[in-house]
Amino acid sequence: MKLKSVIFYVFPLILIFSCNKDDADVSESDKAKALLGQWEYTAIMTDRAVDINGDGTSNIDLFNTQEIKQCIKDNLTFFAERGEGEDGSFSINENGLACEGNQAFTTIESDTYQLINNNRIVFGSRREMKIMKFEKDKLVVETQDNLGGTDVLVTITFKKS
């Protein structure tokens, strides 16, 4: 009876504590494939406060405030493969909440990209993104931008959807 109790209580604990939190990390060799697919914003932060919407209040957290319109926050980002020897395809699509002048579920930006040294995403025409953290369902990147007339470092967190 004691052996059953030990197995019943101890074995699950061993399983729980033996799980490595790095299991979600993407290996260097898998990053190009793991990047492919549909991503959505979960956070957008800047290294200094900006007032993009002109309401007189500056914020660092652009996602959980009113600095960025809801119709932008729900946009979807796509990374796709193209033919052998070609750069990948990058696009941003309106989701259900379309901004003025756009149709819902349409592409509003498209570009090409290359994953360089598994830590930088370099685009054909937009600013590059430095990969800060890459897990199977989470991507954190940094990029330089000018928002509200201020040069900032923007940290964007995506989740795979």
Side-chain angles (χ1 to χ4, degrees):
M1 198 63 124
K2 272 189 164 182
L3 183 60
K4 279 186 178 178
S5 294
V6 168
I7 291 172
F8 183 75
Y9 291 109
V10 175
F11 186 68
L13 289 175
I14 291 170
L15 284 176
I16 289 169
F17 289 111
S18 67
C19 290
N20 185 345
K21 79 175 196 170
D22 292 337
D23 288 346
D25 288 342
V26 176
S27 70
E28 292 294 311
S29 62
D30 292 336
K31 284 187 177 179
K33 288 285 184 200
L35 185 60
L36 301 176
Q38 176 178 299
W39 297 86
E40 61 186 83
Y41 300 118
T42 60
I44 304 171
M45 305 286 288
T46 56
D47 65 339
R48 63 187 69 157
V50 292
D51 181 13
I52 299 171
N53 63 8
D55 68 355
T57 302
S58 296
N59 291 290
I60 291 172
D61 183 347
L62 306 182
F63 191 78
N64 293 307
T65 63
Q66 298 304 313
E67 290 301 333
I68 298 176
K69 297 176 185 178
Q70 283 301 122
C71 61
I72 294 173
K73 293 178 194 178
D74 84 327
N75 287 350
L76 300 172
T77 300
F78 295 88
F79 292 92
E81 289 180 314
R82 295 176 53 189
E84 190 173 323
E86 293 187 59
D87 291 347
S89 175
F90 169 85
S91 64
I92 298 176
N93 289 18
E94 287 282 10
N95 203 356
L97 299 174
C99 291
E100 305 85 32
N102 296 330
Q103 296 291 320
F105 311 109
T106 60
T107 300
I108 58 171
E109 183 179 342
S110 59
D111 203 346
T112 59
Y113 78 93
Q114 292 180 11
L115 181 60
I116 307 294
N117 296 326
N118 287 320
N119 65 2
R120 289 181 21 242
I121 305 169
V122 178
F123 298 92
S125 59
R126 70 185 345 252
R127 294 178 188 215
E128 78 175 54
M129 296 177 176
K130 180 180 178 186
I131 297 174
M132 305 307 294
K133 183 174 188 142
F134 199 167
E135 297 177 349
K136 291 177 183 167
D137 296 323
K138 181 179 182 179
L139 174 64
V140 180
V141 297
E142 286 184 348
T143 188
Q144 297 288 332
D145 207 341
N146 185 290
L147 302 175
T150 303
D151 289 330
V152 294
L153 180 65
V154 181
T155 303
I156 304 169
T157 303
F158 296 95
K159 76 174 181 179
K160 200 158 206 177
S161 53

